[in-house]
Amino acid sequence: MKSTHTHLPRHLRVSRGAYYHVIRKDGRDVWKPLGRDYGQALRLWAELEAEKLTARTVADLVAGYLADCAGRLKPSTVTGYREFSRPLLAVFGAVECDALRREDVARYVRARNNYAGNRERALLSAAYTWGRNVGLVASDPTKGLNLRAKEAPRQRYVTDAELAALLAAAGRLRPVIELAYLTGLRRGDLLALRVMDGGEAGIAVRIGKTGAVRLIEWTDALRAAWRACTAGRIGAAPVVAGRRGKPYTPVAFRQAWERIRLRAGLPDVRFHDLRRKSGSDLPLEHAAALLAHADSKVTARHYHAKPVSVRPVR
């Protein structure tokens, strides 16, 4: 089993979607359940392995780093790190930490040559930095590696006709998609909204990425979308809720979005593209304020993708 899960550190196994700490005792394997959540499993694994953790392999090192992150960062961030670790550890997971060479990492990044490769290399670098700080490794093969794949910003603009198709395919989530477009909120901030966040002047939003607070003023369209989302609920009830009024988990909402975009015939449209449309449909300074960007250059580079219309010579 271990050979097919090389991204996992020693003594950590997965079976039927659940994680276990497995050690050999008295001639047989002893399986200790750690739950189905990978972040929680890593934390428990780190506690069980604390006294004998030596980070023999790259998989051990990355697992230790992710377990440390799980106590400090948002679950969604740790989940992202976990996903970036999979292809990386499929190649380097079983390699001894001190045996990994800079040229091995350079060859990997060149072969990947994409956005994911850059993030995987950054994760590996962070794991080695953490390992050095806690005394698990002595060297770092990612240092001095002046190599990075060129990244072009995503410029997918959702047209008005495509937005209409998404809304038509959204069913009961139609007002949620309207709310997302009108506010330009990231998925996490949208899912964090509570009914009580809607006040007399507008919607008070705490931006999860920066902690900044924004008041999005009411318009007739925004108020209508808000009322449709929150009908029959009050106080701390979630704005984006399932049929029984329970909040959507990030995974459930991603699955719902997947169904919407496929029904709309737009499999290449990501939920984040709605945020880009919000920014693209406004003047630059207004867009930067709505999207809570401290620097409008970020807005111009990543969220102003609407094609410029020009007239021909004649």
Side-chain angles (χ1 to χ4, degrees):
M1 184 189 305
K2 179 65 175 178
S3 62
T4 62
H5 294 91
T6 56
H7 65 286
L8 298 177
R10 67 186 186 284
H11 301 152
L12 183 61
R13 301 288 188 273
V14 60
S15 177
R16 297 182 180 180
Y19 295 92
Y20 298 85
H21 183 254
V22 183
I23 59 173
R24 193 77 173 171
K25 189 174 182 179
D26 298 330
R28 65 186 185 90
D29 288 338
V30 179
W31 292 61
K32 182 179 179 62
L34 303 180
R36 292 183 174 272
D37 179 79
Y38 186 65
Q40 174 187 327
L42 278 177
R43 289 193 296 273
L44 296 173
W45 168 86
E47 293 173 3
L48 293 168
E49 293 282 314
E51 293 184 359
K52 52 184 177 294
L53 180 62
T54 57
R56 299 174 193 164
T57 67
V58 174
D60 294 337
L61 184 67
V62 172
Y65 172 66
L66 292 179
D68 181 69
C69 287
R72 299 181 290 104
L73 304 178
K74 295 189 300 183
S76 59
T77 301
V78 178
T79 298
Y81 286 173
R82 171 194 170 192
E83 294 305 315
F84 282 126
S85 77
R86 291 184 183 278
L88 181 73
L89 297 183
V91 177
F92 296 134
V95 176
E96 297 285 330
C97 289
D98 291 330
L100 187 63
R101 301 171 301 171
R102 184 184 304 170
E103 52 266 39
D104 297 326
V105 181
R107 192 178 303 112
Y108 178 85
V109 175
R110 288 194 186 96
R112 294 287 281 166
N113 194 32
N114 58 13
Y115 169 93
N118 289 337
R119 298 303 178 272
E120 291 154 14
R121 180 248 179 164
L123 172 61
L124 185 64
S125 178
Y128 267 92
T129 297
W130 172 80
R132 292 185 68 185
N133 288 341
V134 298
L136 293 179
V137 295
S139 61
D140 185 347
T142 69
K143 296 304 180 187
L145 189 67
N146 188 21
L147 180 63
R148 181 180 177 87
K150 186 176 181 180
E151 294 181 16
R154 181 172 169 84
Q155 293 293 301
R156 178 63 164 91
Y157 174 73
V158 177
T159 66
D160 291 345
E162 288 174 330
L163 177 60
L166 290 166
L167 290 170
R172 60 183 301 275
L173 287 179
R174 179 185 178 111
V176 175
I177 304 305
E178 291 175 335
L179 189 65
Y181 167 62
L182 292 170
T183 61
L185 289 176
R186 297 179 181 86
R187 181 184 60 205
D189 293 334
L190 189 71
L191 295 181
L193 285 176
R194 296 296 179 261
V195 177
M196 61 187 179
D197 294 329
E200 184 176 342
I203 305 170
V205 179
R206 181 174 294 278
I207 307 302
K209 194 170 185 178
T210 64
V213 177
R214 289 288 187 274
L215 179 68
I216 304 177
E217 299 176 0
W218 292 122
T219 62
D220 291 343
L222 181 58
R223 194 183 292 276
W226 182 266
R227 286 174 174 169
C229 287
T230 61
R233 279 171 279 137
I234 60 174
V239 172
V240 182
R243 294 185 183 277
R244 297 182 180 179
K246 293 184 178 180
Y248 269 93
T249 65
V251 171
F253 191 77
R254 279 197 296 269
Q255 292 171 342
W257 171 255
E258 180 72 12
R259 292 190 292 269
I260 290 170
R261 69 177 185 173
L262 291 179
R263 284 198 298 264
L266 297 168
D268 68 316
V269 175
R270 304 173 187 173
F271 185 79
H272 199 74
D273 292 336
L274 295 178
R275 179 172 166 84
R276 183 176 299 103
K277 178 171 177 59
S278 303
S280 299
D281 289 353
L282 291 171
L284 182 59
E285 294 305 320
H286 186 172
L290 178 67
L291 302 183
H293 289 155
D295 188 346
S296 62
K297 291 180 181 178
V298 174
T299 316
R301 176 171 170 78
H302 297 279
Y303 296 94
H304 240 222
K306 189 174 184 177
V308 177
S309 298
V310 294
R311 294 182 62 82
V313 174
R314 62 176 69 177

